[in-house]
Amino acid sequence: MRESKLSPHQAKQPPSIKMCGLSREQDITCVNTLLPDFVGFVFASSPRQVSITQAARLKSLLDSRIKAVGVFVGESVDEIVKLVDSGVIDYIQLHDSNEIESSENFTRRESRILALRQRTSTPIIKAIAASNVPNILAQQESTADLLLLDNAKGGSGKCFDWDYVVRAREAGFDREFFLAGGINAGNLSRALALHPYGIDLSKGLESNGAKDCAKMHEIMEILSKHRT
Protein backbone atom coordinates (compact mmCIF):
# COMPACT_ATOMS: atom_id res chain seq x y z
CA MET A 1 0.00 0.00 0.00
CA ARG A 2 2.87 2.42 0.71
CA GLU A 3 3.15 3.99 -2.72
CA SER A 4 4.31 7.34 -1.40
CA LYS A 5 5.19 9.08 1.84
CA LEU A 6 3.23 12.12 0.70
CA SER A 7 0.87 12.99 3.56
CA PRO A 8 -2.64 14.37 3.12
CA HIS A 9 -1.52 17.52 4.96
CA GLN A 10 0.67 18.05 1.91
CA ALA A 11 -1.80 16.77 -0.68
CA LYS A 12 -4.74 18.72 0.85
CA GLN A 13 -7.09 15.77 0.57
CA PRO A 14 -10.14 15.46 2.85
CA PRO A 15 -9.44 13.14 5.79
CA SER A 16 -10.92 9.70 6.25
CA ILE A 17 -13.15 9.00 9.25
CA LYS A 18 -12.85 5.86 11.36
CA MET A 19 -15.52 5.05 13.93
CA CYS A 20 -13.97 2.54 16.29
CA GLY A 21 -15.27 0.18 18.95
CA LEU A 22 -18.56 -0.83 17.31
CA SER A 23 -20.13 -3.79 19.07
CA ARG A 24 -23.88 -3.82 18.41
CA GLU A 25 -26.11 -4.33 15.40
CA GLN A 26 -27.65 -0.88 15.93
CA ASP A 27 -24.16 0.60 15.63
CA ILE A 28 -23.85 -0.96 12.19
CA THR A 29 -27.31 0.28 11.20
CA CYS A 30 -26.21 3.80 12.10
CA VAL A 31 -22.89 3.76 10.24
CA ASN A 32 -24.56 2.28 7.17
CA THR A 33 -26.56 5.51 6.90
CA LEU A 34 -23.49 7.70 7.50
CA LEU A 35 -20.87 5.83 5.46
CA PRO A 36 -17.65 6.62 7.33
CA ASP A 37 -14.58 5.30 5.55
CA PHE A 38 -13.69 2.81 8.30
CA VAL A 39 -15.15 1.14 11.37
CA GLY A 40 -13.15 -0.64 14.04
CA PHE A 41 -13.79 -3.97 15.76
CA VAL A 42 -11.79 -4.30 18.99
CA PHE A 43 -10.54 -7.84 19.67
CA ALA A 44 -8.28 -6.80 22.55
CA SER A 45 -9.45 -6.70 26.16
CA SER A 46 -11.63 -3.61 26.39
CA PRO A 47 -15.19 -2.53 27.28
CA ARG A 48 -15.66 -2.45 23.50
CA GLN A 49 -14.25 -5.94 22.86
CA VAL A 50 -16.09 -8.22 20.46
CA SER A 51 -15.72 -11.94 19.88
CA ILE A 52 -14.91 -13.39 16.48
CA THR A 53 -18.52 -14.53 16.19
CA GLN A 54 -19.84 -11.07 17.03
CA ALA A 55 -17.46 -9.39 14.59
CA ALA A 56 -18.41 -11.78 11.79
CA ARG A 57 -22.08 -10.99 12.35
CA LEU A 58 -21.45 -7.25 12.40
CA LYS A 59 -19.32 -7.42 9.24
CA SER A 60 -22.06 -9.35 7.44
CA LEU A 61 -24.39 -6.39 8.10
CA LEU A 62 -21.85 -3.69 7.23
CA ASP A 63 -22.19 -1.73 3.98
CA SER A 64 -19.50 -3.02 1.62
CA ARG A 65 -18.26 0.52 1.01
CA ILE A 66 -17.05 0.73 4.63
CA LYS A 67 -13.76 -0.97 5.52
CA ALA A 68 -13.56 -2.95 8.77
CA VAL A 69 -10.41 -2.58 10.86
CA GLY A 70 -9.45 -5.23 13.41
CA VAL A 71 -7.83 -3.76 16.53
CA PHE A 72 -5.30 -6.05 18.24
CA VAL A 73 -3.02 -5.99 21.28
CA GLY A 74 -0.84 -9.08 21.46
CA GLU A 75 -3.06 -11.50 19.55
CA SER A 76 -1.14 -14.12 17.59
CA VAL A 77 -0.37 -13.80 13.90
CA ASP A 78 -2.44 -16.95 13.32
CA GLU A 79 -5.50 -15.38 14.99
CA ILE A 80 -5.17 -12.19 12.98
CA VAL A 81 -4.68 -13.97 9.66
CA LYS A 82 -7.72 -16.16 10.37
CA LEU A 83 -9.88 -13.04 10.68
CA VAL A 84 -8.44 -11.65 7.45
CA ASP A 85 -8.91 -14.87 5.52
CA SER A 86 -12.50 -15.23 6.71
CA GLY A 87 -13.31 -11.73 5.47
CA VAL A 88 -14.17 -10.34 8.91
CA ILE A 89 -11.60 -7.53 8.68
CA ASP A 90 -10.10 -5.54 5.81
CA TYR A 91 -7.33 -3.75 7.74
CA ILE A 92 -5.11 -4.77 10.66
CA GLN A 93 -4.42 -2.31 13.49
CA LEU A 94 -1.63 -3.27 15.89
CA HIS A 95 -1.23 -1.76 19.34
CA ASP A 96 1.50 -2.27 21.91
CA SER A 97 1.34 -1.98 25.68
CA ASN A 98 4.76 -0.30 25.91
CA GLU A 99 4.59 3.48 25.46
CA ILE A 100 8.38 3.84 25.17
CA GLU A 101 9.53 3.45 21.56
CA SER A 102 13.00 2.06 22.25
CA SER A 103 15.10 0.57 19.47
CA GLU A 104 14.38 -2.90 20.83
CA ASN A 105 10.64 -2.29 20.98
CA PHE A 106 10.62 -0.80 17.48
CA THR A 107 12.47 -3.82 16.08
CA ARG A 108 10.14 -6.26 17.80
CA ARG A 109 7.03 -4.54 16.48
CA GLU A 110 8.43 -4.25 12.96
CA SER A 111 9.24 -7.98 13.07
CA ARG A 112 5.60 -8.63 13.88
CA ILE A 113 4.56 -6.58 10.87
CA LEU A 114 6.98 -8.59 8.71
CA ALA A 115 5.50 -11.85 10.01
CA LEU A 116 2.06 -10.66 8.97
CA ARG A 117 3.37 -9.50 5.57
CA GLN A 118 4.48 -13.06 4.90
CA ARG A 119 0.93 -14.29 5.44
CA THR A 120 -1.31 -11.54 4.07
CA SER A 121 -1.32 -8.44 1.88
CA THR A 122 -3.93 -6.74 4.08
CA PRO A 123 -2.94 -3.14 4.95
CA ILE A 124 -1.44 -2.69 8.40
CA ILE A 125 -1.94 0.27 10.73
CA LYS A 126 0.63 0.64 13.49
CA ALA A 127 -0.64 2.47 16.58
CA ILE A 128 1.92 4.32 18.67
CA ALA A 129 1.91 6.35 21.86
CA ALA A 130 2.54 9.88 20.64
CA SER A 131 3.75 10.88 24.08
CA ASN A 132 6.62 13.00 22.77
CA VAL A 133 8.21 14.15 19.52
CA PRO A 134 10.95 11.45 19.45
CA ASN A 135 8.30 8.68 19.66
CA ILE A 136 6.67 10.08 16.53
CA LEU A 137 9.93 10.65 14.65
CA ALA A 138 11.00 7.07 15.40
CA GLN A 139 8.19 5.82 13.14
CA GLN A 140 9.38 7.60 10.00
CA GLU A 141 10.84 4.39 8.56
CA SER A 142 8.18 1.99 9.86
CA THR A 143 7.09 -0.62 7.33
CA ALA A 144 3.43 -0.20 8.33
CA ASP A 145 1.11 1.17 5.65
CA LEU A 146 -0.34 3.75 8.01
CA LEU A 147 0.37 4.99 11.51
CA LEU A 148 -2.12 5.84 14.25
CA LEU A 149 -1.01 8.48 16.74
CA ASP A 150 -2.77 8.05 20.06
CA ASN A 151 -2.56 8.87 23.72
CA ALA A 152 -0.10 6.73 25.67
CA LYS A 153 -3.10 4.75 26.94
CA GLY A 154 -5.19 3.91 23.87
CA GLY A 155 -8.92 3.93 24.51
CA SER A 156 -8.64 6.39 27.39
CA GLY A 157 -10.62 9.08 25.58
CA LYS A 158 -7.90 11.63 26.30
CA CYS A 159 -5.94 13.74 23.82
CA PHE A 160 -2.17 13.84 23.63
CA ASP A 161 -0.44 17.16 22.98
CA TRP A 162 -1.13 17.73 19.28
CA ASP A 163 1.72 20.21 19.16
CA TYR A 164 3.96 17.13 19.06
CA VAL A 165 2.65 16.47 15.52
CA VAL A 166 3.47 19.99 14.41
CA ARG A 167 6.96 19.78 15.86
CA ALA A 168 7.58 16.32 14.41
CA ARG A 169 6.62 17.56 10.94
CA GLU A 170 8.98 20.50 11.33
CA ALA A 171 11.68 17.91 12.07
CA GLY A 172 10.91 15.94 8.89
CA PHE A 173 8.09 13.55 9.80
CA ASP A 174 5.91 13.08 6.70
CA ARG A 175 4.12 9.78 7.21
CA GLU A 176 0.39 9.31 6.72
CA PHE A 177 -1.44 8.79 10.00
CA PHE A 178 -4.75 8.57 11.79
CA LEU A 179 -5.12 11.04 14.65
CA ALA A 180 -6.72 9.40 17.70
CA GLY A 181 -7.31 10.00 21.38
CA GLY A 182 -10.06 12.11 22.87
CA ILE A 183 -11.48 13.46 19.60
CA ASN A 184 -15.11 14.55 19.74
CA ALA A 185 -17.49 17.10 18.21
CA GLY A 186 -15.99 19.85 20.36
CA ASN A 187 -12.42 19.50 19.10
CA LEU A 188 -12.90 17.85 15.70
CA SER A 189 -12.31 21.09 13.78
CA ARG A 190 -8.97 21.56 15.55
CA ALA A 191 -8.05 17.95 14.79
CA LEU A 192 -8.89 18.43 11.12
CA ALA A 193 -6.65 21.50 11.02
CA LEU A 194 -3.68 19.14 11.45
CA HIS A 195 -4.60 17.54 8.10
CA PRO A 196 -4.11 13.90 9.11
CA TYR A 197 -4.80 11.01 6.75
CA GLY A 198 -7.74 10.15 8.98
CA ILE A 199 -9.55 10.87 12.23
CA ASP A 200 -10.17 7.98 14.62
CA LEU A 201 -13.06 8.35 17.07
CA SER A 202 -14.41 6.01 19.72
CA LYS A 203 -15.26 7.36 23.17
CA GLY A 204 -16.24 10.70 21.62
CA LEU A 205 -19.08 8.87 19.86
CA GLU A 206 -20.51 7.43 23.07
CA SER A 207 -23.09 8.18 25.74
CA ASN A 208 -23.16 6.06 28.89
CA GLY A 209 -20.55 3.70 27.46
CA ALA A 210 -22.40 2.88 24.24
CA LYS A 211 -22.21 4.31 20.74
CA ASP A 212 -24.66 7.20 20.28
CA CYS A 213 -26.03 7.51 16.76
CA ALA A 214 -26.84 11.20 17.30
CA LYS A 215 -23.19 11.91 18.13
CA MET A 216 -22.08 9.94 15.10
CA HIS A 217 -24.38 12.05 12.91
CA GLU A 218 -22.99 15.23 14.48
CA ILE A 219 -19.42 14.19 13.63
CA MET A 220 -20.31 13.54 9.99
CA GLU A 221 -22.12 16.89 9.76
CA ILE A 222 -19.02 18.71 11.01
CA LEU A 223 -16.86 16.78 8.57
CA SER A 224 -19.15 17.59 5.64
CA LYS A 225 -18.70 21.29 6.30
CA HIS A 226 -14.94 20.89 6.11
CA ARG A 227 -15.19 18.93 2.87
CA THR A 228 -17.17 21.61 1.03
Side-chain angles (χ1 to χ4, degrees):
M1 180 179 170
R2 286 191 63 193
E3 297 175 356
S4 169
K5 288 186 179 180
L6 182 66
S7 299
H9 81 278
Q10 297 166 309
K12 304 300 182 185
Q13 297 173 359
S16 298
I17 289 291
K18 176 170 171 276
M19 296 185 171
C20 199
L22 276 60
S23 60
R24 306 172 302 167
E25 291 188 11
Q26 55 261 50
D27 300 338
I28 300 298
T29 299
C30 183
V31 296
N32 282 346
T33 67
L34 298 174
L35 296 178
D37 303 279
F38 302 89
V39 297
F41 298 144
V42 179
F43 295 96
S45 178
S46 161
R48 305 170 186 88
Q49 183 178 15
V50 293
S51 67
I52 293 175
T53 301
Q54 285 176 296
R57 172 62 179 164
L58 296 176
K59 179 61 183 298
S60 73
L61 300 172
L62 186 66
D63 189 294
S64 61
R65 289 170 288 183
I66 305 171
K67 299 299 183 184
V69 180
V71 179
F72 303 98
V73 181
E75 286 78 6
S76 72
V77 169
D78 285 344
E79 289 177 276
I80 296 172
V81 171
K82 181 179 179 180
L83 285 162
V84 170
D85 290 345
S86 61
V88 176
I89 60 173
D90 307 299
Y91 278 63
I92 298 165
Q93 182 174 313
L94 300 176
H95 286 252
D96 189 270
S97 58
N98 189 342
E99 66 179 87
I100 304 300
E101 194 58 73
S102 65
S103 296
E104 181 181 354
N105 193 36
F106 180 86
T107 300
R108 178 178 59 80
R109 297 184 69 193
E110 291 295 312
S111 295
R112 185 166 170 76
I113 293 172
L114 177 60
L116 283 164
R117 294 270 190 232
Q118 294 172 343
R119 302 278 298 278
T120 177
S121 59
T122 300
I124 297 173
I125 303 167
K126 180 182 180 182
I128 68 161
S131 51
N132 53 54
V133 174
N135 264 21
I136 298 174
L137 290 174
Q139 305 306 317
Q140 179 66 21
E141 300 306 322
S142 171
T143 58
D145 297 289
L146 291 162
L147 301 175
L148 184 143
L149 308 185
D150 200 353
N151 183 282
K153 295 183 179 180
S156 67
K158 297 181 179 180
C159 297
F160 65 92
D161 186 344
W162 292 346
D163 187 55
Y164 294 153
V165 175
V166 176
R167 289 161 54 192
R169 281 176 169 160
E170 290 172 347
F173 178 76
D174 65 355
R175 291 295 305 271
E176 294 181 334
F177 64 91
F178 282 95
L179 185 68
I183 301 173
N184 53 47
N187 61 15
L188 178 58
S189 293
R190 189 160 62 90
L192 292 169
L194 291 171
H195 302 290
Y197 169 87
I199 299 289
D200 184 292
L201 302 103
S202 184
K203 199 168 184 177
L205 303 173
E206 296 177 353
S207 295
N208 301 317
K211 290 295 181 286
D212 184 329
C213 196
K215 289 188 174 183
M216 296 160 86
H217 272 273
E218 184 180 13
I219 289 295
M220 296 304 288
E221 287 174 3
I222 295 171
L223 179 66
S224 68
K225 294 176 182 178
H226 282 264
R227 285 178 166 172
T228 57

